[in-house]
Amino acid sequence: MGEFAKLEVDGKVYMLPIVQGTEGERAIDISQLRSQTGLITLDEGYANTGSCKSAITYIDGERGILRYRGIPIEELAAKSSFIETAYLLIYGHLPTRAELRKFSELLTENQYLPEAVKYNFEGFPSNAHPMAILSAVINASSCFDPSLMRWEDKSSFDVHAARLISQVRTIAAFSYRKSRGLPIIYPKKSYKYTANFLHMMFSMPYEDYELKPEVVRALDLIFLLHADHEQNCSTATVRMVASARANLFASAAAGVCALWGPLHGGANQAVIEMLEEIYQSGDDGSKFIAAVKDKTNRRRLMGFGHRVYKTYDPRAKIIKKACDDLLEVLDVHDPLLDIAKKLEETALKDEYFIERRLYPNVDFYSGIIMRAIGIPVEMFTVIFAIGRTPGWIAHYKEMMDNPETKIYRPRQIYVGPTQSSFIPIDERK
Ligand code: ACO
């Protein structure tokens, strides 16, 4: 006999089953609540709502734990690569050498965009945000493969997954080149995933970009650290769209749109803009912290706070160290890093932040690494999207493989006018 929670409404008692996850996390199963009681639950922002059971990523926000398929993020950051981690997320286990080779070959074979897709880039204004281009072109790419439209057809999943991972990077680099009026650079077969992205971003037709191993490694680490984060806003969006049996590319395009928001993936761009503003104003960060605490101006310390983490985001710790290491190797002194460190130091001692349990999140230091690499600020959220793509694919596959997957369709509590009659236009005041 399992465990139950007792709910008493209108003098009647209902027994609601308690579900337990593999890490001991418990939830009240309310799937029969409405049919049994006529009631629904109300949880705006879903902070207390589990939308699914998932075996991909585990987070303990109180203890600052993040694991992909059971493996701590710290171990993956130290020992794995983005592509190996992508395989782990999507297929549920670390690949053997043969599996990894096959996966890499599939990525290489699928990295080119159909030629006609290229014309999509011509239609955008030169100042278009690359996230708009990314979302539009990912969606447009699905027209080129009719087999994508068949949700039930699992036989082509591996190719579609590889195509999306590879093409997201190609589209991202093309969108940057287009925005700068630069000629498009095609991927090279001999380059690995992250090196190829840097090549497509920065090479010229007459001169290849010089690939520094430390730079390639730092960017690969950023991709890896962003690869999944369970039911965050963009992944929940991907799952929402996929639940209607939309194709993988359409679902991922929707994820890109959600990620673009400044409270989500757009925060990495917002952090650098905030640090620039502080630097330009001659503040060392203290005035800014005071302004954030003054609720009348609705400012936030970007890159701080998290819905799930109520302690230091484990990814932020890894990124902060990588940031220090890379800047030292490249011999770069970035005054924005000094400001970021000062902000962190001040905030972590300040009652406002302590009370609300606000700590640096993944976005706080990642922008400084990207700046050092030469990635322009408007591409920061695109980098996040490239990193998050394997996570979105893993969630899509999890839904596809689950015969019990239903369309996501929340309910609501209606608070609008009660029944009223239509008023003819001449009688309206
Ligand atoms: N700066 C100042 N105050 C903050 C911050 C912040 N960064 N974050 C939260 N707070 C305050 C809120 O004003 C609120 O205070 P109150 O209780 O006095 O009203 C309290 O902390 C709780 O904040 P909520 O917005 O209710 O927390 P929620 O869980 O909904 O939001 C979020 C989480 C969106 C990440 C928030 O912390 C935030 O806006 N951070 C800045 C943006 C950011 O860095 N986003 C990236 C998140 S990580 C990611 O998506 C990859």
Side-chain angles (χ1 to χ4, degrees), residues 147-148 150-158 160-161 239 242-243 245-248 392-406 408:
S147 68
L148 254 173
R150 294 190 298 270
W151 159 283
E152 312 74 27
D153 179 11
K154 290 189 186 171
S155 63
S156 43
F157 172 81
D158 293 348
H160 293 151
R239 290 188 79 121
S243 79
R245 308 289 189 265
N247 73 64
L248 178 64
W392 291 336
I393 295 170
H395 284 269
Y396 189 95
K397 182 172 190 304
E398 188 169 68
M399 294 179 81
M400 216 169 112
D401 290 346
N402 180 1
E404 285 169 21
T405 292
K406 288 187 187 149
Y408 283 13

Side-chain angles (χ1 to χ4, degrees), residues 263-264 267 292 295 300-301 303-305 307 352 356 361 363:
L263 294 189
H264 189 16
V292 163
K295 292 280 182 169
R300 287 198 165 193
L301 178 55
F304 253 71
R307 172 59 65 79
Y352 174 96
R356 290 169 180 77
N361 61 47
D363 294 317

Side-chain angles (χ1 to χ4, degrees), residues 73-99:
I73 194 69
E74 294 79 4
E75 271 189 60
L76 290 167
K79 299 176 188 163
S80 188
S81 67
F82 173 58
I83 289 308
E84 187 182 53
T85 298
Y87 186 99
L88 168 73
L89 285 167
I90 297 168
Y91 296 103
H93 62 272
L94 286 168
T96 61
R97 261 183 215 292
E99 284 168 333

Side-chain angles (χ1 to χ4, degrees), residues 222-278:
I222 289 186
F223 287 151
L224 182 155
L225 293 176
H226 285 87
D228 193 45
H229 214 234
E230 48 119 306
Q231 308 306 320
N232 57 86
C233 181
S234 55
T235 303
T237 302
V238 169
R239 290 188 79 121
M240 172 68 86
V241 176
S243 79
R245 308 289 189 265
N247 73 64
L248 178 64
F249 279 52
S251 305
V256 171
C257 293
L259 189 70
W260 192 3
L263 294 189
H264 189 16
N268 54 15
Q269 175 170 346
V271 169
I272 290 295
E273 286 163 357
M274 172 189 79
L275 295 174
E276 281 276 13
E277 186 192 320
I278 296 172

Side-chain angles (χ1 to χ4, degrees), residues 35 43 62 69 89 137 159 164 170 185 222 227 233 260 295 367:
S35 60
D43 182 21
E62 305 298 323
R69 301 284 186 185
L89 285 167
V137 179
V159 172
L164 182 56
T170 309
I185 301 289
I222 289 186
C233 181
W260 192 3
K295 292 280 182 169

